[in-house]
Amino acid sequence: GAVVSQHPSRVICKSGTSVKIECRSLDFQATTMFWYRQFPKQSLMLMATSNEGSKATYEQGVEKDKFLINHASLTLSTLTVTSAHPEDSSFYICSARGGTQETQYFGPGTRLLVL
Amino acid sequence: GQNIDQPTEMTATEGAIVQINCTYQTSGFNGLFWYQQHAGEAPTFLSYNVLDGLEEKGRFSSFLSRSKGYSYLLLKELQMKDSASYLCAVRNNNAGNMLTFGGGTRLMVKP
């Protein structure tokens, strides 16, 4: 099946620093990628949708200046959490859409802990 | 808007069969997906239905009735490793083919 990689898998940072998370579709081209956040025992919350070569579309309540998304190629999207605060600590999961059925495949997730 | 409902939790016995239901209300229906998510991990794709009927894939089967806005995921010969959350997601072609997820069903398989 389709493979989506995400890096890093785990990151601990100090409050006020920025963290970049990479998402790659390894064996297919993804015109659309999605970024989700998930808090413990809660469902996935869509943060933003990004299309290759254009600006991301953010969900209501998600600050675009805080969560910078770049989708520079058909296989790579990045999420940068700027000036991270402890409340940004969460599980961030990217997803890439592709294949004949336009299925969404998920990356393994990045666990962010802001101290 | 969209509304997706599935039970919060279910418990079943190893070796048994369990059915996880999902009901939805949406305009622009363009497919229903089931994902499995183990604790602390990202979701993995299980199945996709866009036409009415049953799709079988090994121990897992998924059923769809578009007229009833209803789907179920059937897991046979349950194994301990099947303990996970199962997410029902509906794709909407009126919203750029985005997925909307239900809250997930936490399945606990007991020996």
Side-chain angles (χ1 to χ4, degrees):
Chain A
V3 178
V4 178
S5 72
Q6 203 171 324
H7 177 80
S9 58
R10 201 178 281 269
V11 59
I12 301 173
C13 69
K14 291 182 180 178
S15 187
T17 59
S18 294
V19 175
K20 181 188 272 190
I21 303 170
E22 287 190 354
C23 176
R24 293 179 187 273
S25 57
L26 297 185
D27 52 359
F28 67 100
Q29 293 185 329
T31 52
T32 307
M33 288 186 171
F34 305 86
W35 287 95
Y36 294 84
R37 183 165 52 182
Q38 187 175 36
F39 293 104
K41 294 192 176 180
Q42 293 187 22
S43 191
L44 297 166
M45 288 174 47
L46 180 65
M47 298 175 68
T49 303
S50 79
N51 292 297
E52 184 260 341
S54 61
K55 289 184 179 179
T57 303
Y58 290 81
E59 294 300 298
Q60 199 168 12
V62 179
E63 300 174 56
K64 60 181 179 182
D65 294 331
K66 180 169 182 61
F67 298 99
L68 301 178
I69 291 172
N70 185 288
H71 192 163
S73 77
L74 287 172
T75 59
L76 173 64
S77 176
T78 60
L79 167 69
T80 301
V81 183
T82 62
S83 187
H85 291 287
E87 57 265 30
D88 297 325
S89 298
S90 187
F91 191 40
Y92 291 86
I93 310 170
C94 76
S95 176
R97 187 164 70 194
T100 53
Q101 294 172 340
E102 288 281 286
T103 299
Q104 268 185 239
Y105 297 96
F106 288 86
T110 297
R111 199 161 297 283
L112 171 64
L113 176 61
V114 184
L115 301 176
Chain B
Q2 300 187 98
N3 204 22
I4 301 172
D5 289 313
Q6 50 182 132
T8 306
E9 287 183 352
M10 296 182 73
T11 302
T13 306
E14 192 177 13
I17 299 173
V18 71
Q19 177 174 312
I20 302 174
N21 296 325
C22 172
T23 58
Y24 64 89
Q25 293 172 311
T26 186
S27 58
F29 175 84
N30 190 24
L32 187 144
F33 296 78
W34 283 96
Y35 289 86
Q36 179 191 59
Q37 186 177 24
H38 283 100
E41 299 180 13
T44 55
F45 169 72
L46 288 179
S47 69
Y48 165 70
N49 294 71
V50 67
L51 299 177
D52 290 348
L54 189 69
E55 294 281 341
E56 295 187 76
K57 203 185 278 188
R59 292 190 299 116
F60 293 4
S61 304
S62 57
F63 171 83
L64 175 68
S65 168
R66 288 171 297 170
S67 61
K68 295 181 180 177
Y70 167 68
S71 171
Y72 66 72
L73 180 70
L74 193 72
L75 292 79
K76 303 176 189 174
E77 301 167 19
L78 279 174
Q79 302 174 10
M80 299 298 290
K81 67 178 183 179
D82 297 330
S83 294
S85 284
Y86 291 85
L87 309 176
C88 171
V90 172
R91 185 164 63 188
N92 183 345
N93 67 11
N94 288 341
N97 273 333
M98 277 175 37
L99 290 183
T100 299
F101 285 87
T105 299
R106 266 196 301 281
L107 172 67
M108 188 179 306
V109 179
K110 294 186 173 177

